[in-house]
Amino acid sequence: MQLDDYKTQYQDLQNSLQAGFLTSTSAVEGFVLARANGVDELLREIWQGFDMSDQLSLVAVGGYGRSELHLYSDIDLLILIPRGSHQTHQDKISQFLTFLWDVGLEVGHATRDIKDCERVIDDLSIVTNMLESRLVTGPERIFNQMKNVIKLSDWSSQSFLVEKQKEQSNRHESFSNTAYNLEPNIKESPGGLRDIQTVAWVAKWYFDVDTLFDLVTSNYLSNDEYEILKTSQLFLWRVRFALHVIASRREDRLAFQYQRQVAEMLGYTDGESMAVERFMKDYYQTVTKVSRLNDILLQLLEDKILNTQILNSRFRISYGYIHACHEQVFVNNPSSFLEVFLLIAKHSYVSGISAGTLRQMQLNLDLIDHNYHKKRNNNRLFIELLQQPKGVNKALKLMNRYGVLEKYIPAFGKISGLMQYDLFHAFTVDQHTLFVVRNLRRFFVSEFANEFILCSEVAAKIKKPELLLLGGLFHDIAKGRGGNHAELGMHDASEFCKSHQLNSSDTKIVVELVQKHLLMSSVAQKQDIDDPVIIKNFADSVGSLEFLEYLYLLTVADIRATKDDLWNDWKDSLLKKLFNQTKKYLSDEVNTLLSNSQRAKNNKANVIEAAIAHGFEMKFINGILDNLPKDYYLRYDLDDILWHLSLQLNKNLQEIIVSSKISESNVMDIFILCKDFNKLFFNLVSVVEQMGMDIVDAKILTTKNGQAYNTISVLQCDNLAELDFHQAIKAVLISPESGVSRPIQQLSHKYFDNKTHIKFGENKKWNLSQIEINTLDRVGVLSNIAYVFYKLGVSLVNARVSTLGGRVEDVFYIHNDQGKLLNKEQQLALTKALSERL
């Protein structure tokens, strides 16, 4: 639609709302919601019309975020963008916002990435806006990240309440602390709408609810109090909506010039007293009720949040901190070392442990001796802590900080502060472990359900989350001892489970999680998970669907806790694919493994059937497919093959075809079809690398008539749309390059293992040599590997590229120039050449 069409659509919305209100002012709640819904619809249409990037999220904040829009209320928007992409999206966003103003929408706006949100989270007005935010359109992922910034911020129930009380006090003071101004501001004056919102904000933060009515079920509001607040709010809404209609703009001050008209519009008539007098009396009585309730409810919250709460004979909460009730708590009852952290998990509003109680704890830590973890009551408390629906991560972090965790689990003490001297890990082992537990906990918390949807769905089926958390706690517990830390760690896990009297099946899950915690990541990133034999072998190792679910969750949590930039959509897609295919295998009663020849034959038949259904002529189909090797039907799925066919329609064999699309794995697949030649893969990799794209996968095939079918898969990046990589690839294929610069050593990596590690294997099924190359990650690594392959006459068939921290672990499937496995002499020559180049 054109600008005028949107103007008309918006004006029609405004006119219909005004007409409806004049017909029935008592239905104001519906009109306030209807305007928010109408603006939602309009914004989505305009957003789509501007073809905004699918990486951006449009978020409603403030009153609009609450879906409360009066006739001329401002429309407050937050546009969330990927990290550091302000320049990339600035022009498009500016044009979008200008268009909104041209349509007639009065918009307040901010554009932020997650770092911006973290930077401004200390601002009370901003955190309040973000608290009431609502996604209008765009990906939920970045919106949920923004919401998580609030959850992980330093704002506590106490600090939020105190600052909101200060804010309200300052606001009231600007109106002389009275609700009885003759020309009151119905929004900001004492007893006005803002006082209702203040109660709601603080209560919602404390009770973690969404609506005023939820506060009734939380036993904070009585039914009568809720009715008073709701009735008062609706009365003030009627007044505010009427003011907007009369003033034809946003107006919150009930000035003398409007009072008569508002009274008349709301149905007041002259009688024994003037209509305007009766209306204003109702107004003042309403705001008095609001002020009275505001005082009561905020004071009740103050008592709950800031003042003392007795928990039991040993502990109390005072001003947000847990205090020991007497100085001998830990001496008289050593189980209190664990109980205090269980109480922290159970009471989300607790900020921490008081200084005096911490001092008592530190002075008596030696009471946690080598028999402490064997006592039944202590076992019960620790397992109960792991079973809590919230607060587990917070409690474990504090247990680690104050030395209790390493005392309770002696093996954990050996990894406390243990540095891993490599480029793969960004944190000490104990901190990494706690991050793993944090990530696991989030899978079970409803507010993070859209962060990792499959993980949350799987977590919902887990009967004993505490077993998963134990697997996370112990998975790296044997690091730093030498030897295989997974094998060593399983013995520690087994002893712990035995001392905590876990049954044999639960113990088996925990122990195997520790033993096999690296298995799923290794298979997904280094093996061909499209191969049914690989899936069968992995399924045999996993053993059951139940254990597969545990292992999948632990694997995702582990990778994400290792280093900030280690996780990406590609790894996510590989793990999902491996999980789903293994789940299918384990769920089937009969698992028949077809031969490669039979699989290829079946897949080709499916392609022909689908191609005919898509309108391709049989002569064209056979002309393409008859030249393709069997491997093609095993390594490409049906959608990709149909895509390849469509690209070749009406093209001759000499024509170079370069095309790209976003795959189901959320990476960019770049497909290149051209005449095969020796330097082809090297040239392709070189140009892609030079354009700053990260390659994660490669498929290399040559047809019977000498055509090369190559697919290079790259991670998406902010500037991908701006790169003219199609033309750059065509250019290098027309005029192939022959040289390549060696990768430059990064100074920041000079203290780490700089050696290139090369390991050969054999894929007998495909009759290919497998080479795994582990080296420092630098610009030009892949192109240098491709260059060495080209120089030594090595042909690449498939590649799996994986960056792990500061190192790459790339796996290549290759054969020599005669199409055979590399012999020992050729392997030595290739090892020498690669080591010299890298």
Side-chain angles (χ1 to χ4, degrees):
M1 288 196 293
Q2 299 299 315
L3 175 61
D4 288 343
D5 296 323
Y6 286 117
K7 282 183 175 180
T8 301
Q9 182 178 338
Y10 178 56
Q11 197 56 53
D12 287 346
L13 172 65
Q14 294 291 92
N15 291 340
S16 67
L17 292 172
Q18 179 168 320
F21 179 75
L22 291 173
T23 301
S24 177
T25 63
S26 61
V28 66
E29 186 172 20
F31 300 127
V32 168
L33 176 61
R35 182 165 185 247
N37 291 339
V39 170
D40 281 356
E41 184 180 338
L42 185 63
L43 287 177
R44 290 190 191 106
E45 288 182 17
I46 296 173
W47 184 268
Q48 291 171 1
F50 268 78
D51 193 24
M52 301 296 282
S53 168
D54 59 7
Q55 295 179 316
L56 308 186
S57 288
L58 183 65
V59 178
V61 295
Y64 181 34
R66 297 190 301 273
S67 293
E68 297 174 5
L69 275 186
H70 287 261
L71 193 61
Y72 289 103
S73 294
D74 284 349
I75 298 158
D76 292 328
L77 299 175
L78 171 62
I79 300 175
L80 292 173
I81 62 176
R83 287 182 185 268
S85 63
H86 288 275
Q87 290 294 112
T88 303
H89 302 292
Q90 182 177 353
D91 290 344
K92 203 67 169 291
I93 291 172
S94 179
Q95 293 167 16
F96 169 72
L97 293 170
T98 300
F99 190 84
L100 296 185
W101 279 96
D102 291 341
V103 168
L105 298 169
E106 293 191 20
V107 174
H109 64 89
T111 301
R112 300 190 185 108
D113 63 11
I114 296 302
K115 279 193 174 180
D116 295 330
C117 294
E118 292 169 348
R119 191 163 47 247
V120 299
I121 195 66
D122 291 337
D123 187 303
L124 183 65
S125 62
I126 292 176
V127 74
T128 305
N129 264 354
M130 290 166 64
L131 180 67
E132 297 198 298
S133 58
R134 176 174 57 83
L135 183 64
V136 177
T137 188
E140 289 187 352
R141 179 181 57 82
I142 193 170
F143 173 71
N144 289 330
Q145 286 177 350
M146 183 272 289
K147 297 291 277 189
N148 292 344
V149 168
I150 304 173
K151 297 289 181 185
L152 301 174
S153 71
D154 292 331
W155 285 102
S156 63
S157 297
Q158 293 84 1
S159 60
F160 191 73
L161 169 61
V162 168
E163 291 305 314
K164 277 298 174 188
Q165 286 177 315
K166 288 180 184 177
E167 181 185 65
Q168 177 172 285
S169 177
N170 292 335
R171 177 167 49 80
H172 286 181
E173 192 173 331
S174 67
F175 291 97
S176 303
N177 287 308
T178 179
Y180 299 104
N181 291 296
L182 295 183
E183 293 184 302
N185 186 304
I186 60 172
K187 183 178 179 183
E188 305 290 347
S189 289
L193 287 166
R194 190 67 82 200
D195 279 12
I196 298 176
Q197 290 164 2
T198 297
V199 169
W201 286 327
V202 178
K204 286 176 183 179
W205 188 289
Y206 177 73
F207 291 106
D208 194 23
V209 297
D210 294 321
T211 67
L212 270 178
F213 185 74
D214 290 333
L215 299 176
V216 177
T217 58
S218 299
N219 296 317
Y220 173 60
L221 283 179
S222 69
N223 285 311
D224 289 343
E225 288 168 337
Y226 170 75
E227 286 301 322
I228 290 171
L229 279 182
K230 189 66 178 176
T231 303
S232 299
Q233 183 183 59
L234 290 176
F235 176 83
L236 294 173
W237 277 8
R238 291 173 68 214
V239 175
R240 192 178 187 208
F241 211 97
L243 270 174
H244 286 201
V245 171
I246 294 165
S248 296
R249 59 180 171 81
R250 181 168 62 88
E251 178 59 79
D252 296 325
R253 183 166 167 262
L254 193 51
F256 291 130
Q257 69 190 83
Y258 301 124
Q259 291 175 7
R260 284 179 179 272
Q261 292 171 274
V262 172
E264 181 182 349
M265 188 173 289
L266 298 187
Y268 290 86
T269 56
D270 290 336
E272 292 182 3
S273 60
M274 295 174 61
V276 67
E277 291 175 349
R278 291 173 54 227
F279 159 61
M280 291 304 293
K281 184 176 181 179
D282 283 350
Y283 170 80
Y284 291 124
Q285 288 180 339
T286 297
V287 295
T288 299
K289 291 176 186 176
V290 171
S291 294
R292 190 180 299 145
L293 262 182
N294 177 274
D295 288 345
I296 293 170
L297 295 172
L298 287 183
Q299 189 173 332
L300 283 172
L301 275 172
E302 190 172 315
D303 287 341
K304 279 182 175 290
I305 298 174
L306 300 182
N307 296 338
T308 300
Q309 179 183 359
I310 303 298
L311 297 177
N312 54 38
S313 61
R314 292 170 297 282
F315 295 103
R316 60 186 169 83
I317 298 173
S318 182
Y319 291 89
Y321 286 86
I322 285 191
H323 292 251
C325 291
H326 57 84
E327 292 185 356
Q328 298 299 309
V329 162
F330 298 106
V331 175
N332 294 345
N333 188 349
S335 292
S336 297
F337 281 106
L338 293 176
E339 182 186 25
V340 67
F341 296 104
L342 174 59
L343 292 171
I344 287 173
K346 285 184 172 182
H347 298 85
S348 61
Y349 53 89
V350 171
S351 299
I353 303 172
S354 70
T357 305
L358 280 176
R359 180 175 286 170
Q360 290 182 46
M361 182 185 290
Q362 298 305 300
L363 289 173
N364 294 291
L365 270 181
D366 287 344
L367 292 172
I368 308 178
D369 58 20
H370 64 280
N371 289 316
Y372 186 89
H373 72 282
K374 299 177 183 178
K375 295 180 179 178
R376 187 61 187 148
N377 190 47
N378 297 338
N379 297 165
R380 179 190 61 78
L381 287 169
F382 188 74
I383 297 299
E384 186 180 351
L385 167 59
L386 296 182
Q387 291 172 333
Q388 293 306 302
K390 287 189 177 182
V392 177
N393 177 57
K394 179 181 179 181
L396 289 175
K397 280 172 63 178
L398 292 176
M399 283 184 73
N400 187 48
R401 180 184 299 176
Y402 300 134
V404 175
L405 191 58
E406 63 186 74
K407 284 281 190 177
Y408 186 69
I409 306 176
F412 198 88
K414 297 176 182 178
I415 61 170
S416 292
L418 178 63
M419 175 188 180
Q420 300 178 77
Y421 197 67
D422 58 31
L423 288 165
F424 180 61
H425 295 87
F427 311 103
T428 57
V429 182
D430 57 328
Q431 187 60 68
H432 161 72
T433 298
L434 293 176
F435 281 155
V436 170
V437 173
R438 176 202 63 185
N439 292 341
L440 289 171
R441 282 294 312 136
R442 288 164 80 103
F443 298 149
F444 294 88
V445 179
S446 59
E447 62 212 54
F448 300 122
N450 292 321
E451 189 175 50
F452 289 89
I453 294 173
L454 179 58
C455 289
S456 294
E457 290 174 352
V458 171
K461 302 173 186 175
I462 298 291
K463 295 177 181 177
K464 295 184 177 181
E466 64 270 21
L467 303 182
L468 183 60
L469 299 186
L470 285 172
L473 272 176
F474 280 87
H475 80 289
D476 274 353
I477 207 160
K479 281 284 184 73
R481 299 188 204 170
N484 186 321
H485 75 277
E487 294 293 331
L488 294 171
M490 62 183 283
H491 298 297
D492 291 329
S494 179
E495 289 180 13
F496 180 90
C497 293
K498 182 179 179 181
S499 69
H500 283 67
Q501 300 181 35
L502 270 66
N503 62 43
S504 59
S505 60
D506 289 350
T507 298
K508 184 173 185 289
I509 288 174
V510 176
V511 170
E512 289 197 354
L513 280 174
V514 177
Q515 180 189 19
K516 299 176 181 179
H517 72 272
L518 297 172
L519 175 64
M520 192 168 192
S521 173
S522 177
V523 172
Q525 296 183 70
K526 295 182 180 181
Q527 299 189 38
D528 180 10
I529 57 178
D530 287 317
D531 187 341
V533 174
I534 298 295
I535 299 300
K536 177 189 181 301
N537 293 340
F538 177 67
D540 290 344
S541 181
V542 168
S544 70
L545 181 56
E546 180 187 31
F547 185 74
L548 173 67
E549 292 173 340
Y550 278 101
L551 184 60
Y552 171 63
L553 296 180
L554 179 58
T555 303
V556 175
D558 189 16
I559 296 175
R560 291 184 58 239
T562 304
K563 202 173 183 182
D564 288 342
D565 59 356
L566 197 61
W567 181 261
N568 56 45
D569 289 340
W570 174 245
K571 289 185 174 70
D572 187 23
S573 68
L574 291 177
L575 289 172
K576 283 178 181 174
K577 189 172 185 179
L578 178 56
F579 173 81
N580 287 324
Q581 293 189 175
T582 308
K583 178 182 177 181
K584 182 180 178 182
Y585 180 90
L586 290 169
S587 301
D588 287 346
E589 294 183 4
V590 179
N591 290 295
T592 304
L593 290 179
L594 299 176
S595 67
N596 280 345
S597 296
Q598 189 59 51
R599 285 175 57 217
K601 183 178 179 181
N602 292 349
N603 291 346
K604 182 177 181 180
N606 291 335
V607 167
I608 293 172
E609 182 180 349
I612 293 171
H614 278 72
F616 292 108
E617 294 182 0
M618 198 64 210
K619 182 180 178 181
F620 168 74
I621 297 171
N622 288 332
I624 300 295
L625 299 188
D626 287 349
N627 284 306
L628 292 169
K630 175 179 66 178
D631 293 0
Y632 179 80
Y633 302 103
L634 301 176
R635 294 168 60 198
Y636 284 104
D637 61 27
L638 179 60
D639 288 341
D640 283 336
I641 296 175
L642 292 174
W643 176 43
H644 296 169
L645 285 173
S646 67
L647 294 174
Q648 296 177 72
L649 200 60
N650 301 321
K651 300 283 175 66
N652 61 61
L653 289 177
Q654 306 304 316
E655 195 168 345
I656 296 173
I657 296 174
V658 180
S659 187
S660 60
K661 68 178 179 69
I662 304 299
S663 74
E664 62 178 14
S665 302
N666 205 26
V667 297
M668 176 73 75
D669 281 345
I670 305 172
F671 175 66
I672 304 101
L673 175 59
C674 63
K675 276 288 184 182
D676 191 23
F677 60 96
N678 287 339
K679 292 183 291 185
L680 176 57
F681 181 67
F682 159 61
N683 287 152
L684 291 177
V685 169
S686 297
V687 71
V688 171
E689 270 190 355
Q690 288 166 15
M691 301 191 80
M693 293 187 278
D694 291 328
I695 300 172
V696 293
D697 198 30
K699 294 185 181 76
I700 316 298
L701 281 165
T702 304
T703 67
K704 298 170 185 176
N705 59 347
Q707 292 287 100
Y709 277 60
N710 291 341
T711 299
I712 308 292
S713 299
V714 301
L715 291 178
Q716 293 193 70
C717 56
D718 290 339
N719 64 337
L720 194 58
E722 301 170 8
L723 298 175
D724 190 7
F725 54 87
H726 288 191
Q727 192 55 43
I729 290 171
K730 284 186 177 180
V732 79
L733 293 181
I734 294 170
S735 301
E737 299 177 1
S738 58
V740 62
S741 300
R742 296 188 181 188
I744 299 172
Q745 185 72 35
Q746 293 187 35
L747 293 178
S748 60
H749 294 169
K750 67 181 180 180
Y751 301 108
F752 295 94
D753 179 8
N754 291 312
K755 293 181 180 178
T756 295
H757 302 276
I758 297 171
K759 183 170 68 176
F760 282 92
E762 184 178 327
N763 187 313
K764 294 180 180 179
K765 185 174 182 180
W766 298 93
N767 197 34
L768 295 171
S769 292
Q770 176 181 316
I771 179 172
E772 184 174 325
I773 303 173
N774 184 325
T775 189
L776 281 177
D777 183 26
R778 291 151 289 162
V779 175
V781 166
L782 192 55
S783 57
N784 271 269
I785 292 172
Y787 183 70
V788 171
F789 286 169
Y790 150 62
K791 281 294 188 181
L792 297 187
V794 171
S795 295
L796 178 66
V797 175
N798 204 1
R800 178 59 56 84
V801 179
S802 179
T803 302
L804 305 174
R807 297 189 70 86
V808 294
E809 293 187 5
D810 297 346
V811 179
F812 302 93
Y813 296 91
I814 56 179
H815 58 69
N816 61 23
D817 55 3
Q818 297 175 327
K820 297 180 179 180
L821 297 172
L822 273 64
N823 57 38
K824 288 293 183 184
E825 184 179 340
Q826 290 169 330
Q827 290 181 15
L828 288 172
L830 183 54
T831 299
K832 182 174 183 294
L834 286 170
S835 298
E836 289 175 354
R837 294 295 305 184
L838 302 175

